């Protein structure tokens, strides 16, 4: 029986301490999550600005419900593209200071679209080894050749660029989702210019977080649309909503509408979601203090961890990983945290490399100083109770 193989794979995963399971959360997203009679202090979400349950988004959705109903009814190219999508795309393009934007139902779909439609047979995709799974899958979906370079190793990137006379694409996350470090984009831009490669940047964790008004990684480094011609940003993280968008010059958007399969052959995001996303975007524009609140929380967390000698990976952003190594030990430590009503991300292979299991703490603008103090004392307690042999 075929399913025997499935059962064996499940068993192997269980034995390695890498079986994944889903928490069934009984509350809205926020600083606290309700879980089976427990209220957990939440440091696991990507809701960096605390907007996932914002009143402005909820009001915008209420206001839109009667007008546009619930479902979008069709794909964008048939009759699912509504005024709300149009308004959202204009708002997003303005916000990231680029000519045009195209919304997708998810970042995963957007990355598949970019990789599948832009590169052709005979082209070469050159990707950072730690890129997000959706970029890796997109490269597989494309007919182009693809190679990787060691994480942020720009010498190796240059070698790859130099070695090939093909039409080239360089692809990178801005902030790496499991490590929290930032790509050396200004240098990558220079290399792309030198070797005439097209740069594709996934700003899932930078949009709404980096830059003086949250415009993302291009704003942070002052990079133009010409320097970063293809930018993908998501709406499900800092913006607290759902969906994603690709931005750049008008011809890029026009091309994706015609040729991106995950744009064409899928139902449009419901208009109420588009309205909620736009409401949160406008709220962020008017409340830049959310960004300073988040930055202060990141600083406080790093400072308290240093005091408690909790070693962190090199990150200045909302993603703060603590490397543990062994998956089983990570889950024991995690259990101690949950007993203290603290929830952090516990990330194991295959999401990260073998023996690189880690806590992935995410900070948000919704946290208060005392929440972060509680988190760090919880972590210190867990590490002191469960020491490495
Ligand atoms: C979350 C994420 C995505 C996928 O976005 P979704 O909207 O959740 O599908 C893509 N790239 C990176 C780096 C991400 O962290």
């Amino acid at each position: 029986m075929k399913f025997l193989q499935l059962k064996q794979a499940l068993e192997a995963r269980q034995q390695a301490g890498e079986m994944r399971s889903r928490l069934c959360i009984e509350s809205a997203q926020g600083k606290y999550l309700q879980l089976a009679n427990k209220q957990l202090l939440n440091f696991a979400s990507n809701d960096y600005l605390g907007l996932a349950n914002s009143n402005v988004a909820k009001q915008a959705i209420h206001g839109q419900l009667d007008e546009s109903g619930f479902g979008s009814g069709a794909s964008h190219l048939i009759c699912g593209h509504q005024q709300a999508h149009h308004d959202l795309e204009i708002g997003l393009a303005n916000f990231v200071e680029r000519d045009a934007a195209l919304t997708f139902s998810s970042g995963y779909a957007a990355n598949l679209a970019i990789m599948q439609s832009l590169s052709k047979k005979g082209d070469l995709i050159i990707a950072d080894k730690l890129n997000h799974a959706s970029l890796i899958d997109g490269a597989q979906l494309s007919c182009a050749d693809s190679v990787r370079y060691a994480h942020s190793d720009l010498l190796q990137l240059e070698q790859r660029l130099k070695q090939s006379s093909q039409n080239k694409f360089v692809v990178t996350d801005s902030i790496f989702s499991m490590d929290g470090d930032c790509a050396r984009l200004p240098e990558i831009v220079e290399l792309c210019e030198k070797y005439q490669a097209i740069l594709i940047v996934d700003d899932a964790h930078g949009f709404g977080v980096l830059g003086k008004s949250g415009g993302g990684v291009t704003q942070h480094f002052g990079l133009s649309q010409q320097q970063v011609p293809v930018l993908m940003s998501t709406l499900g993280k800092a913006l607290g909503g759902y969906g994603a968008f690709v931005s750049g010059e008008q011809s890029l958007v026009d091309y994706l509408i015609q040729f991106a399969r995950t744009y064409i052959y899928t139902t449009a995001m419901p208009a109420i979601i588009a309205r909620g996303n736009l409401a949160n975007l406008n709220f962020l524009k008017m409340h830049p203090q959310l960004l300073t609140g988040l930055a202060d929380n990141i600083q406080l967390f790093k400072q308290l961890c240093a005091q408690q000698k909790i070693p962190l990976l090199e990150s200045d952003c909302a993603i703060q990983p603590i490397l543990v190594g062994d998956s089983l030990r990570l889950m024991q430590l995690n259990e101690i945290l949950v007993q203290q009503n603290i929830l952090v991300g516990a990330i194991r292979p295959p999401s990260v490399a073998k023996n690189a299991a880690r806590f992935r703490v995410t900070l948000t603008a919704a946290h208060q100083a005392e929440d972060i103090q509680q988190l760090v004392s919880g972590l210190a307690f867990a590490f002191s109770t469960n020491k490495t042999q």
Side-chain angles (χ1 to χ4, degrees):
M1 243 258 286
K2 267 205 185 116
F3 280 5
L4 186 61
Q5 286 170 10
L6 308 191
K7 285 174 193 155
Q8 283 167 348
L10 288 169
E11 221 155 84
R13 183 159 274 198
Q14 182 78 48
Q15 300 238 307
E18 282 159 12
M19 187 66 115
R20 314 285 293 269
S21 64
R22 300 170 297 174
L23 303 173
C24 193
I25 304 298
E26 294 154 4
S27 60
Q29 284 296 322
K31 188 170 102 169
Y32 294 107
L33 293 179
Q34 188 67 34
L35 174 76
N37 302 324
K38 249 177 155 12
Q39 196 184 47
L40 298 174
L41 187 52
N42 179 14
F43 291 97
S45 82
N46 301 313
D47 182 19
Y48 301 129
L49 300 178
L51 294 176
N53 192 27
S54 78
N55 282 329
V56 285
K58 288 194 282 194
Q59 274 164 15
I61 288 171
H62 279 303
Q64 182 74 16
L65 256 179
D66 280 339
E67 199 176 305
S68 72
F70 170 46
S72 64
S75 64
H76 285 278
L77 294 191
I78 303 296
C79 65
H81 192 69
Q82 291 171 273
Q83 186 68 40
H85 301 109
H86 183 74
D87 295 347
L88 176 60
E89 286 175 349
I90 289 175
L92 289 167
N94 280 335
F95 188 71
V96 292
E97 296 173 70
R98 296 166 71 86
D99 293 348
L102 183 69
T103 54
F104 284 78
S105 296
S106 74
Y108 194 102
N111 278 343
L112 292 187
I114 291 169
M115 304 302 287
Q116 165 263 323
S117 71
L118 296 186
S119 63
K120 300 261 168 308
K121 194 169 164 58
D123 294 348
L124 178 66
I125 294 166
I126 309 176
D128 189 290
K129 191 145 187 282
L130 291 191
N131 276 353
H132 190 263
S134 53
L135 290 170
I136 298 170
D137 295 355
Q140 284 187 355
L141 204 57
S142 128
C143 298
D145 298 329
S146 91
V147 288
R148 299 204 281 181
Y149 57 95
H151 178 48
S152 282
D153 183 339
L154 300 194
L155 286 175
Q156 215 176 73
L157 169 60
E158 179 156 20
Q159 273 172 6
R160 303 262 190 270
L161 283 163
K162 213 186 271 182
Q163 273 161 10
S164 157
S165 56
Q166 290 160 284
N167 192 19
K168 294 177 278 287
F169 294 87
V170 172
V171 189
T172 183
D173 284 15
S174 58
I175 291 172
F176 289 86
S177 47
M178 295 301 144
D179 287 49
D181 58 330
C182 192
R184 292 155 61 186
L185 266 199
E187 293 158 86
I188 295 176
V189 163
E190 265 180 42
L191 286 173
C192 286
E193 282 168 356
K194 184 166 167 196
Y195 295 96
Q196 292 177 343
I198 294 173
L199 178 57
I200 297 170
V201 174
D202 175 343
D203 200 26
H205 298 281
F207 176 70
V209 173
L210 295 177
K212 66 176 188 314
S213 58
V217 74
T218 50
Q219 187 182 62
H220 174 73
F221 285 121
L223 297 170
S224 68
Q225 175 172 289
Q226 208 171 8
Q227 291 171 308
V228 181
V230 186
L231 182 68
M232 197 291 294
S233 320
T234 62
L235 306 173
K237 289 171 177 142
L239 215 61
Y242 191 71
F245 66 102
V246 179
S247 61
E249 62 176 68
Q250 187 64 46
S251 60
L252 172 71
V253 165
D254 292 344
Y255 179 87
L256 290 171
I257 293 172
Q258 299 303 318
F259 297 106
R261 297 173 65 83
T262 62
Y263 185 76
I264 301 166
Y265 300 106
T266 195
T267 302
M269 133 197 327
I272 50 169
I273 304 297
R275 283 283 176 234
N277 284 327
L278 185 57
N280 274 352
L281 182 74
N282 289 333
F283 186 78
L284 169 57
K285 271 192 209 161
M286 279 157 19
H287 298 85
Q289 66 270 29
L290 288 173
L291 297 164
T292 40
L294 173 61
D296 290 348
N297 284 344
I298 296 167
Q299 280 324 308
L300 176 64
F301 175 74
K302 291 180 69 158
Q303 188 192 328
L304 294 177
C305 282
Q307 279 169 18
Q308 294 286 344
K309 304 207 163 38
I310 297 171
L312 300 172
L313 295 190
E314 191 65 43
S315 161
D316 289 322
C317 79
I319 303 169
Q320 292 287 330
I322 305 168
L323 199 59
V324 169
D326 181 57
S327 295
L328 288 164
R329 178 164 184 250
L330 178 72
M331 295 325 281
Q332 290 165 359
L333 289 163
N334 192 44
E335 192 51 43
I336 303 172
L337 284 183
V338 172
Q339 276 164 14
Q340 300 175 83
N341 297 327
I342 295 169
L343 184 71
V344 304
I347 311 290
R348 292 166 286 167
S351 299
V352 291
K354 247 179 132 181
N355 296 317
R358 68 196 61 182
F359 284 128
R360 177 180 182 272
V361 172
T362 45
L363 301 157
T364 79
H367 292 122
Q368 313 275 304
E370 53 269 27
D371 303 326
I372 296 167
Q373 282 153 3
Q374 193 182 329
L375 165 68
V376 176
S377 25
L379 284 165
F381 176 75
F383 282 112
S384 68
T385 321
N386 180 311
K387 294 206 166 77
T388 31
Q389 287 81 27

